[in-house]
Amino acid sequence: MPIPEDVTGDEIDKDVRQELQSLPKTLAEDVARNLVMVARLIDEDPEGAYGYSRVALRLASRVAAVREAAGFAAYANQKYSEALAEFRAARRMTGSVELWPVMADCERGLGRPEKALDMAGAPEVHKLDKAGQVEMRLVAAGARRDMGQLDAAIVTLQSPELASSSVQPWTARLRYAYADALLAAERVNEAREWFAKAVEADRDGSTDASDRLAELDGVEFVDALNDEDQDQDEEPEADLAADDADDADESEDSPAETETETETETETGSESVAKAATDIAPGTADEAGSEADKD
């Protein structure tokens, strides 16, 4: 797959670069460039990211960072069985529990919420850092909802991290999940309160909490650009109606006009056309521009 010339491979994390040192230099550079493309595309173009991950996997399947990247690319494309296999391989290579929450979420994606809950209670969870434990809590709450246990999901999300006023990278998503669960339980006023708190914490727009809050408040957004286009479409119709009215008025004039008057009007019309032609300027072309959790 083609890779832009500005991608050198030096953009990858230093720990990944260190892993790639076990490969021949040229091969390591190729793998690094493909991994950069995975990171660039995984939010906006998951299919493209998946393609680059497969190239990297074919080149260096024994590198843990490559297996992890392949797992996340598959996960982004909802290929949960494949993602789980890659995450397990990466974990075997590193011995790290870092991927435990996303592995549990793959179990959810495969329709096995009970397995995800088992993983939420496993000893590996205690080895996770704070961010990982919050992520595991989110997965466990999701599994509860998958099983129709809405009240249990709400209780699962109630934690010191949820109550804390400190804003962390995971705060917005935790508050959002809690608000969404409350709304599902028809606790609308509480849901609105927590969507508002999610908005306060969502500094990078990782959730659509602001839209959900506006929806609860009954705010309807109007696309000003579309309204403007509609006005422009209506203007020519109004002009045409006016022109038709003028034509009708002219048709009622007496045909007994003198030849001199007709010639004068013709000359005046020609001058107007000539002037209009000199006033025409080239139009400008519209330019269009082309926003990820992620975890």
Side-chain angles (χ1 to χ4, degrees):
M1 298 180 66
I3 298 177
E5 294 182 359
D6 65 316
V7 176
T8 64
D10 294 333
E11 301 90 342
I12 61 174
D13 184 83
K14 63 179 181 179
D15 291 335
V16 178
R17 189 180 302 114
Q18 186 173 357
E19 278 193 67
L20 296 179
Q21 287 180 355
S22 61
L23 302 175
K25 183 178 180 180
T26 302
L27 180 59
E29 291 176 354
D30 289 342
V31 174
R33 295 180 72 205
N34 278 281
L35 292 180
V36 171
M37 293 304 298
V38 173
R40 279 192 180 187
L41 299 176
I42 197 164
D43 291 327
E44 297 180 1
D45 181 11
E47 290 186 6
Y50 179 76
Y52 285 105
S53 75
R54 302 306 296 178
V55 175
L57 191 60
R58 187 173 66 249
L59 295 174
S61 62
R62 296 186 179 183
V63 175
V66 172
R67 303 302 290 266
E68 182 175 330
F72 278 111
Y75 179 81
N77 285 275
Q78 300 183 3
K79 299 177 183 292
Y80 297 118
S81 180
E82 185 177 325
L84 184 57
E86 297 299 342
F87 290 143
R88 284 173 173 168
R91 184 169 178 267
R92 284 195 301 271
M93 293 176 180
T94 63
S96 172
V97 297
E98 187 178 79
L99 296 171
W100 196 253
V102 71
M103 289 169 63
D105 205 39
C106 285
E107 295 288 359
R108 283 188 60 213
L110 292 169
R112 301 193 291 251
E114 299 88 352
K115 178 63 176 177
L117 286 177
D118 289 343
M119 293 180 68
E124 284 82 354
V125 176
H126 300 293
K127 301 177 183 178
L128 294 169
D129 59 14
K130 180 63 68 177
Q133 290 178 3
V134 170
E135 198 67 36
M136 193 70 247
R137 188 178 293 275
L138 287 168
V139 173
R144 290 291 185 187
R145 292 189 64 172
D146 293 342
M147 299 168 66
Q149 301 173 2
L150 188 54
D151 290 339
I154 292 173
V155 172
T156 299
L157 292 169
Q158 293 171 345
S159 61
E161 293 81 16
L162 178 67
S164 175
S165 59
S166 174
V167 176
Q168 303 295 333
W170 35 260
T171 301
R173 293 178 57 242
L174 181 59
R175 292 177 179 178
Y176 182 95
Y178 188 58
D180 191 52
L182 289 170
L183 187 60
E186 299 183 355
R187 294 162 60 175
V188 179
N189 291 335
E190 293 174 85
R192 191 205 172 282
E193 176 187 351
W194 283 98
F195 274 127
K197 290 182 178 181
V199 171
E200 293 174 0
D202 195 0
R203 297 169 180 171
D204 58 357
S206 60
T207 73
D208 64 346
S210 59
D211 293 338
R212 299 291 298 277
L213 181 60
E215 183 180 348
L216 286 176
D217 289 343
V219 177
E220 183 177 350
F221 294 100
V222 177
D223 193 334
L225 183 60
N226 286 343
D227 288 348
E228 185 176 317
D229 291 342
Q230 184 176 355
D231 291 341
Q232 291 177 353
D233 290 340
E234 291 175 354
E235 286 176 3
E237 294 180 3
D239 292 340
L240 286 174
D243 290 342
D244 290 343
D246 291 341
D247 291 342
D249 291 341
E250 290 175 3
S251 66
E252 294 176 359
D253 291 342
S254 172
E257 294 177 332
T258 63
E259 184 177 349
T260 303
E261 290 174 339
T262 304
E263 291 175 355
T264 301
E265 291 174 358
T266 304
E267 290 173 359
T268 303
S270 299
E271 291 174 359
S272 298
V273 172
K275 182 178 183 301
T278 60
D279 291 341
I280 295 175
T284 57
D286 293 333
E287 296 180 357
S290 62
E291 265 230 119
D293 7 36
K294 278 270 199 152
D295 301 329

